[in-house]
Amino acid sequence: MSGPQCCENPPTLSSSTGAGHIEELGGLKCYVSGTADSKLAVILISDVYGYEAPNLRKLADKVATAGFYTVVPDFLNGDPFEPENVEKPIQIWIKEHGPDQGFEDAKPVIEALKSKGIEKIGAAGFCWGAKVVVELAKYAYIQAAVILHPSFVSLEDIQGVKVPISILGAEIDKMSPPELVKEFEAALNAKPEVDAFVKIFPGVSHGWSVRYKDDDEAAVKSAEEAQKDLLDWFAKYLK
């Protein structure tokens, strides 16, 4: 399930980008943006390129501006996927960085947030991170979930979700093609106790919401639309 499309348009990583700061939470380095005085937190869970991706940090700052204490943990432990590393292709890399480990590593981060006085937590996952978010949503570790162009997420996973979930898919996506996203929607429609929102964005590819190029006007516009949907979902279910 981790094919070439999973890794297209790699970002130029930067440890200094963003208006936030680095802080350790739950044993992980995290990019943190926003005020700790907020009782509401949002965890952004990266794709295979990790927490130093500039567009992801830019989104974290935007989420923070909306009133959420926003945390982007380094679930990849300083070892993001590097396309140019021929000795560690994605098929090898993923064995060392399974989303199942990300799920386990997320639990202490959530506990650390609660110890700061955070009362409600939402999580959004991109590609690789979507699987982590779905696992958190299956066991209600969070109060609201958003997954964007998910990887590794199965129909069975979606059937197990227990909290409000928004699924934002891409029209051109081998990892989660529109047919699969529509199956997700049907499964959620069969669970009226779980609020859900499902949308397929036309003309965009897997990864578009955080791997857009700044000079691609259409891509930026579509990414901003997805980010607005994400913010609206968290505002509705966390505030």
Side-chain angles (χ1 to χ4, degrees):
M1 286 183 74
S2 51
Q5 195 184 37
C6 165
C7 314
E8 286 175 355
N9 299 326
T12 302
L13 303 182
S14 170
S15 61
S16 60
T17 188
H21 64 277
I22 303 301
E23 182 178 328
E24 188 168 298
L25 288 171
L28 292 182
K29 276 186 177 178
C30 298
Y31 175 78
V32 177
S33 192
T35 173
D37 295 336
S38 175
K39 300 295 182 190
L40 312 173
V42 168
I43 303 171
L44 300 183
I45 305 182
S46 76
D47 58 17
V48 297
Y49 293 109
Y51 86 135
E52 291 185 351
N55 287 348
L56 185 60
R57 290 193 175 186
K58 193 188 297 183
L59 174 57
D61 293 341
K62 184 188 284 190
V63 175
T65 302
F68 300 99
Y69 185 66
T70 308
V71 177
V72 190
D74 180 15
F75 285 113
L76 307 180
N77 293 300
D79 185 32
F81 175 64
E82 297 178 22
E84 64 277 7
N85 184 351
V86 293
E87 293 178 7
K88 199 180 278 188
I90 189 68
Q91 293 82 358
I92 302 290
W93 181 91
I94 201 71
K95 288 178 183 175
E96 299 173 6
H97 301 87
D100 52 339
Q101 185 59 50
F103 170 54
E104 294 302 326
D105 291 344
K107 296 175 191 176
V109 174
I110 289 169
E111 287 308 310
L113 289 172
K114 288 179 178 176
S115 74
K116 284 179 175 282
I118 298 293
E119 295 171 358
K120 288 186 177 180
I121 300 170
F126 307 82
C127 313
W128 179 96
K131 173 67 171 175
V132 179
V133 169
V134 167
E135 291 300 317
L136 293 171
K138 282 158 68 174
Y139 298 97
Y141 281 101
I142 53 177
Q143 282 69 58
V146 180
I147 60 173
L148 303 95
H149 33 86
S151 299
F152 313 112
V153 175
S154 69
L155 182 59
E156 188 179 4
D157 286 332
I158 296 297
Q159 288 168 336
V161 166
K162 292 186 173 65
V163 302
I165 184 167
S166 171
I167 303 175
L168 307 178
E171 181 185 14
I172 307 154
D173 194 338
K174 296 187 184 76
M175 311 297 290
S176 290
E179 300 77 31
L180 180 60
V181 174
K182 285 171 183 169
E183 287 182 30
F184 292 168
E185 184 174 29
L188 289 164
N189 286 342
K191 291 183 65 163
E193 71 277 14
V194 175
D195 284 353
F197 175 78
V198 179
K199 182 171 175 180
I200 296 169
F201 286 71
V204 295
S205 300
H206 181 84
W208 98 95
S209 73
V210 283
R211 286 196 232 144
Y212 57 86
K213 301 297 184 193
D214 287 330
D215 57 358
D216 185 336
E217 196 174 318
V220 169
K221 186 178 178 185
S222 188
E224 287 177 345
E225 183 182 338
Q227 292 169 7
K228 182 181 184 303
D229 289 342
L230 176 155
L231 279 170
D232 288 348
W233 194 253
F234 289 137
K236 183 175 181 181
Y237 289 100
L238 298 181
K239 288 189 172 179

